[in-house]
Amino acid sequence: MRKTILTTFLALAMGAQAKVTLPYCMSDNMVLQQNTEARLWGKSTAKKVTVTTSWNNAKYEANVSKNGDFIVKVKTPAASYTPYTITFNDGDVVTLKNVLMGEVWVCAGQSNMEMPVKGFGNCPVEGYNEEVVNANQYKGVHFVKIPSVMRVKPQWNSEPTEWKEVSPQTVGEASATGYFFAQVINKALDVPVGLIMANKGGSRVESWLTKENLEKYTQEPTDSDGIVKFKPQWDYHRAMLWGNGTFNPILNYTVKGILYYQGCSNVGDPGNQYSERMKLLVDQWRQQFGLGEIPFYFVEIAPYHYDNVNADNGARLREQQFRASQIIPNSGLVCTNDLVYPYEPTQIHPCQKKPVGQRLAYLALNKTYGMTAVGCESMSYKDMKITDDFIDIHLNNRLGAINRFIDIEGFELAGEDKVFHPAKASHFWQPGGGYWDETIRLSSPEVPHPVAIRYCFKNFQIGNLKNAAGLPLFPFRTDNW
């Protein structure tokens, strides 16, 4: 009897000492990136951890470091809706259930990415009820929301959270932009989609940079007192801390790419500062994930008044986002100039989130998954020719057509006085070089000798010119005033 009690006691003691601890971003219902070597990690007090994967009955052995950390790479099969299990054994056993293979994307940024399908207070998402009713059509979409917390030091684990399957009961909690992205990927590829939502409303690009990058490339303080004093009013503007607490815990996860929607909190940044720091952040994340030049698709900030609808500080930030898309390899930018309603100039969280997610998905389908028939690029300014009292312009990425020949809105012209006036814009065929040259012709009776063009280059101005895929023209200016 004593021997039995002693044996039981020793077994319990050894089990308590050897309990595997997994990060919260690894749980039941998780999605692993298909056809790769996916990383699994955690902590243990044992010397070794054995990981067993049910899809191939393979066993992987991981050594535990002196700090108690372990990490192992497991070979994953092709995507399917078959639920698998993963077992971790270090003397005690932890099993993850309902693990799917599919495509895993990170949803990063600030509040317009964080905004859930159920919306925020006084900030609804268009079509909420419809998405609740239809949620069971997307059982292959799973998500995990990493709690948004600040930390002075990089964290290996997040605050408690768990992966969830999309259902009528859970869909309201998912990032709306991320979820609508996942719907398209799920439909087009017929694979499960996993979304890791690591974001924070109001955060700046600096909020996600590391201490090393902040000290090397910026003048931002990196000690806790300095950070608070630099941004005393709103904690969500603080540098580094959100990355340490909210993003660092997911960096071992094997992902396909990153979706990013942020910028409002950087409106007013001087010169090219924002685009340079965006590139710095993308370089940092790619290095930290250690997965090569993974795709980075991001969203232009939507029209918003920023206290003056006719000012251009918001437009200049969009200009910086466009520049970032040109200098960041393997990236793409979604234009949102048309995705606000005329009654939303004071709504920083516009309700049309479905087209935002869909346009991010079009970029991924075309550029990442090889579905080149999907139009994914918005039109952008190419060049202009000034002739007397009018200007002809050419556009990139028309994809074979524009959506209208007349009643084109959003263009302005200025002369040498640098004063802009609304311009009449219409489609025009111009003979030249043995062929007919297709242009948009701009003129204004108030500007007899135009020298510069602006298109929707205001804080809140909605244009209506789109290409054959229904994607709008990026706001632009030809001046540097």
Side-chain angles (χ1 to χ4, degrees):
M1 182 67 175
R2 289 182 179 178
K3 185 176 180 180
T4 303
I5 293 173
L6 180 61
T7 302
T8 303
F9 174 79
L10 289 173
L12 289 171
M14 290 176 64
Q17 291 176 352
K19 178 74 171 178
V20 172
T21 301
L22 300 178
Y24 287 109
C25 63
M26 287 169 46
S27 73
D28 293 349
N29 306 315
M30 69 191 293
V31 178
L32 290 183
Q33 181 59 39
Q34 66 165 326
N35 290 328
T36 190
E37 288 190 325
R39 294 175 297 218
L40 304 173
W41 73 101
K43 289 184 177 292
S44 173
T45 55
K47 293 182 178 180
K48 294 183 183 294
V49 176
T50 300
V51 180
T52 305
T53 51
S54 71
W55 53 87
N56 55 4
N57 292 317
K59 292 183 182 295
Y60 303 84
E61 196 169 81
N63 293 321
V64 180
S65 73
K66 292 180 180 179
N67 295 325
D69 301 308
F70 72 88
I71 187 166
V72 64
K73 293 181 179 180
V74 302
K75 292 183 179 180
T76 57
S80 78
Y81 299 96
T82 302
Y84 295 111
T85 62
I86 305 173
T87 299
F88 300 82
N89 190 340
D90 65 351
D92 198 1
V93 175
V94 175
T95 300
L96 302 183
K97 301 175 183 178
N98 195 32
V99 178
L100 300 185
M101 302 297 147
E103 294 297 300
V104 181
W105 288 80
V106 176
C107 299
Q110 62 179 106
S111 55
N112 272 299
M113 179 62 83
E114 187 178 28
M115 187 177 188
V117 173
K118 64 184 178 183
F120 292 138
N122 290 323
C123 304
V125 169
E126 194 169 63
Y128 166 67
N129 273 347
E130 181 181 1
E131 299 309 327
V132 171
V133 170
N134 293 332
N136 280 331
Q137 298 178 22
Y138 300 96
K139 288 184 179 295
V141 177
H142 294 192
F143 67 93
V144 58
K145 175 65 171 81
I146 308 301
S148 303
V149 296
M150 294 183 290
R151 294 291 182 267
V152 174
K153 300 290 185 182
Q155 302 295 298
W156 86 274
N157 200 3
S158 71
E159 295 296 296
T161 187
E162 62 182 358
W163 281 83
K164 297 181 179 180
E165 297 181 83
V166 160
S167 70
Q169 290 72 39
T170 65
V171 68
E173 303 169 38
S175 158
T177 295
Y179 176 60
F180 295 132
F181 166 89
Q183 282 185 340
V184 177
I185 301 300
N186 180 244
K187 277 185 179 180
L189 303 182
D190 192 20
V191 298
V193 180
L195 300 174
I196 302 175
M197 302 168 184
N199 40 57
K200 170 59 184 175
S203 57
R204 299 183 300 142
V205 67
E206 293 83 2
S207 302
W208 308 101
L209 290 172
T210 61
K211 177 177 181 173
E212 292 75 18
N213 277 333
L214 288 167
E215 290 178 346
K216 185 174 181 180
Y217 297 105
T218 81
Q219 300 300 312
E220 300 258 345
T222 58
D223 63 288
S224 56
D225 288 342
I227 291 171
V228 171
K229 290 177 181 177
F230 191 70
K231 293 291 180 182
Q233 189 170 3
W234 296 299
D235 62 2
Y236 46 79
H237 279 176
R238 291 172 184 167
M240 186 183 76
L241 304 179
W242 298 105
N244 284 344
T246 308
F247 208 88
N248 207 78
I250 72 168
L251 290 173
N252 279 331
Y253 213 101
T254 302
V255 303
K256 188 68 173 184
I258 301 171
L259 311 175
Y260 188 76
Y261 193 167
Q262 185 276 334
C264 299
S265 294
N266 285 96
V267 167
D269 285 3
N272 290 331
Q273 177 176 295
Y274 182 79
S275 56
E276 293 296 330
R277 292 183 182 181
M278 275 286 294
K279 184 178 187 305
L280 178 63
L281 177 61
V282 176
D283 290 344
Q284 170 191 300
W285 278 346
R286 286 172 172 168
Q287 186 275 327
Q288 289 176 311
F289 274 112
L291 299 169
E293 202 174 81
I294 56 176
F296 181 81
Y297 301 132
F298 62 117
V299 183
E300 175 189 70
I301 59 171
Y304 177 70
H305 73 140
Y306 294 105
D307 298 324
N308 184 347
V309 293
N310 291 315
D312 65 6
N313 49 332
R316 289 173 186 267
L317 193 283
R318 294 183 201 105
E319 184 176 58
Q320 283 298 294
Q321 291 180 309
F322 185 82
R323 181 177 183 271
S325 73
Q326 306 302 299
I327 64 175
I328 298 172
N330 198 18
S331 71
L333 178 64
V334 165
C335 180
T336 60
N337 175 254
D338 61 326
L339 297 184
V340 294
Y341 290 114
Y343 57 79
E344 291 185 305
T346 60
Q347 177 55 277
I348 202 165
H349 304 121
C351 67
Q352 297 181 67
K353 287 295 182 285
K354 192 163 193 170
V356 179
Q358 290 172 333
R359 290 174 187 181
L360 284 167
Y362 299 153
L363 283 168
L365 290 175
N366 183 304
K367 294 176 175 290
T368 301
Y369 298 112
M371 295 182 65
T372 55
V374 175
C376 69
E377 299 273 10
S378 270
M379 292 188 295
S380 61
Y381 169 78
K382 182 179 181 180
D383 58 35
M384 70 176 180
K385 181 181 179 182
I386 301 174
T387 305
D388 299 326
D389 59 351
F390 61 86
I391 299 179
D392 289 324
I393 67 169
H394 299 98
L395 302 173
N396 298 307
N397 301 320
R398 291 183 299 111
L399 305 181
I402 59 172
N403 68 321
R404 59 178 61 238
F405 286 175
I406 60 173
D407 297 326
I408 300 171
E409 300 173 355
F411 282 100
E412 295 179 303
L413 292 177
E416 295 290 351
D417 61 0
K418 301 182 181 181
V419 177
F420 282 91
H421 299 271
K424 177 184 178 182
S426 58
H427 178 271
F428 189 77
W429 291 100
Q430 175 179 277
Y435 64 94
W436 289 89
D437 184 26
E438 190 174 13
T439 73
I440 302 296
R441 178 159 289 183
L442 307 173
S443 63
S444 172
E446 288 83 11
V447 188
H449 302 290
V451 299
I453 307 166
R454 289 188 173 187
Y455 177 74
C456 293
F457 204 79
K458 293 181 178 180
N459 286 346
F460 191 91
Q461 187 176 16
I462 306 171
N464 63 1
L465 193 58
K466 303 182 182 184
N467 64 15
L471 301 176
L473 173 62
F474 279 110
F476 71 90
R477 58 174 174 159
T478 62
D479 64 275
N480 60 359
W481 303 333

